[in-house]
Amino acid sequence: MKKMQTMSRLMKAFALAALVFTMGSAPALAADKKPVKLVYVEWPCAVATTNIVKVAIEERLGRPCEILPVSVAIKFQSLATGQADATVCAWLPNTQRNYWEKMQDKLEDLGPLVGGARLGWVVPDYVPYTSIEELKGKAAEFGGKIYGIDPGASYTDTSKEAIKEYGLEGFELIEGGDAIMVAMLADSIKKKKPVIVTGWAPHWKFGRWDLHFLDDPKQFFGTEEEIHALVRKGLNEEMPDVYAFLDKFSFKDTKQLQVLMAENMEKGADPLENAKKFIRENKEQVDSWFE
């Protein structure tokens, strides 16, 4: 009887030791792998996408993953110099064309992760104009302001060119960021005031308010775009597992991404937790990224 009790205690002790070893070895394994560094601009589409990639890399590949918010210029520069590994928020072929053309010899384009993207100036549906050309002579109605995004974004430079080429005297582009632009849009809609913002789709604001793009006859903002994954040169050799995943990573369509973006904008929402929820609820799709 005593021998059986002794054996039972030994087995329990062995099982406990094995459990402790297993729990301790998982973080050690992850620590042995080089961290992946993702860079992104703090736009809603980029925040949603980058957090999904972070969760997927950590849960499926067992690698630590750092996500670093930066400007558009720094995003491209950090990849070109090897200070970062990848981005999953490059708008091509138009919006970030200038950066891509300057640094493409040091980067690799893994292709689109979603299509149907679009840039342009956006107004609430109660604004009666449907084309940028109709804004000529109407600066006073809008307080002379068009609310834009980051000063370093090529979209900002394009908007300035559009003001000049469309002859929109009295208009000024107010540079800020996505949060400021949306805040001004929300405040204007609340007061039913005319407002123009530099917008893009996919974006959660189209799910919250009735908005429309202004036609762009001169095609300053190009045609339909795609959001691409870009990686630094050499990633395929140094992190083949990460490279293979990013090469297959994609959304089903813009609606799938837009729904996630809207969830992230809810009060108290955590983009990382929403990304984990997305991974759990779309297992078949996520599995396809790692086949």
Side-chain angles (χ1 to χ4, degrees):
M1 184 68 176
K2 289 183 178 179
K3 185 179 287 187
M4 291 179 64
Q5 289 177 338
T6 302
M7 287 295 294
S8 178
R9 285 196 296 268
L10 285 172
M11 290 177 68
K12 288 179 181 178
F14 179 80
L16 179 60
L19 179 61
V20 171
F21 175 79
T22 302
M23 292 174 64
S25 64
L29 179 63
D32 287 343
K33 293 186 177 182
K34 185 179 178 181
V36 181
K37 294 183 179 180
L38 303 177
V39 284
Y40 69 103
V41 182
E42 288 186 294
W43 298 338
C45 59
V47 171
T49 305
T50 303
N51 274 280
I52 286 179
V53 171
K54 171 182 169 64
V55 174
I57 287 174
E58 293 183 340
E59 291 188 355
R60 295 296 187 98
L61 301 180
R63 283 186 181 273
C65 184
E66 302 172 7
I67 59 175
L68 310 168
V70 295
S71 67
V72 176
I74 296 300
K75 178 178 73 174
F76 277 86
Q77 290 170 5
S78 62
L79 291 172
T81 58
Q83 294 174 299
D85 298 306
T87 186
V88 284
C89 56
W91 283 58
L92 297 171
N94 301 314
T95 305
Q96 295 171 4
R97 180 184 68 249
N98 292 342
Y99 293 105
W100 168 250
E101 289 179 348
K102 290 177 182 177
M103 305 180 200
Q104 60 182 306
D105 59 327
K106 298 177 182 178
L107 307 174
E108 186 172 351
D109 182 3
L110 299 186
L113 51 98
V114 70
R118 181 183 176 183
L119 291 177
W121 291 354
V122 173
V123 297
D125 280 354
Y126 58 75
V127 172
Y129 310 119
T130 59
S131 172
I132 294 177
E133 288 184 323
E134 296 178 68
L135 299 177
K136 196 169 183 178
K138 307 291 195 314
E141 293 182 29
F142 297 90
K145 296 179 174 62
I146 298 170
Y147 294 98
I149 55 170
D150 314 62
S154 55
Y155 189 10
T156 298
D157 294 334
T158 303
S159 290
K160 290 179 180 178
E161 292 175 17
I163 290 173
K164 180 180 178 181
E165 293 302 318
Y166 275 104
L168 303 182
E169 294 182 8
F171 276 102
E172 175 189 8
L173 182 69
I174 307 301
E175 301 175 16
D178 180 66
I180 296 173
M181 177 267 289
V182 170
M184 296 309 301
L185 177 64
D187 184 65
S188 297
I189 290 174
K190 184 178 180 180
K191 299 174 182 176
K192 205 82 172 186
K193 291 172 56 179
V195 64
I196 306 167
V197 300
T198 59
W200 60 89
H203 195 288
W204 62 269
K205 64 180 176 285
F206 287 96
R208 181 168 295 183
W209 300 297
D210 294 323
L211 310 168
H212 63 267
F213 281 98
L214 293 173
D215 291 338
D216 174 25
K218 298 180 184 292
Q219 292 197 334
F220 267 92
F221 304 110
T223 53
E224 186 173 294
E225 293 199 88
E226 300 168 326
I227 301 176
H228 287 230
L230 304 181
V231 301
R232 63 174 173 81
K233 284 289 179 70
L235 185 71
N236 192 23
E237 292 76 24
E238 295 177 35
M239 298 182 183
D241 54 343
V242 176
Y243 181 96
F245 156 58
L246 292 174
D247 196 31
K248 291 184 177 181
F249 171 66
S250 66
F251 290 100
K252 293 178 181 178
D253 49 36
T254 52
K255 182 179 179 181
Q256 187 181 42
L257 173 56
Q258 216 151 246
V259 167
L260 179 60
M261 291 162 62
E263 290 176 355
N264 286 342
M265 297 310 299
E266 294 295 328
K267 187 176 181 180
D270 182 340
L272 184 61
E273 291 304 315
N274 283 339
K276 291 177 181 178
K277 177 172 170 281
F278 180 95
I279 296 290
R280 289 195 306 270
E281 295 179 351
N282 295 273
K283 186 178 183 302
E284 186 176 341
Q285 180 181 358
V286 175
D287 286 345
S288 72
W289 301 338
F290 295 93
E291 290 175 349

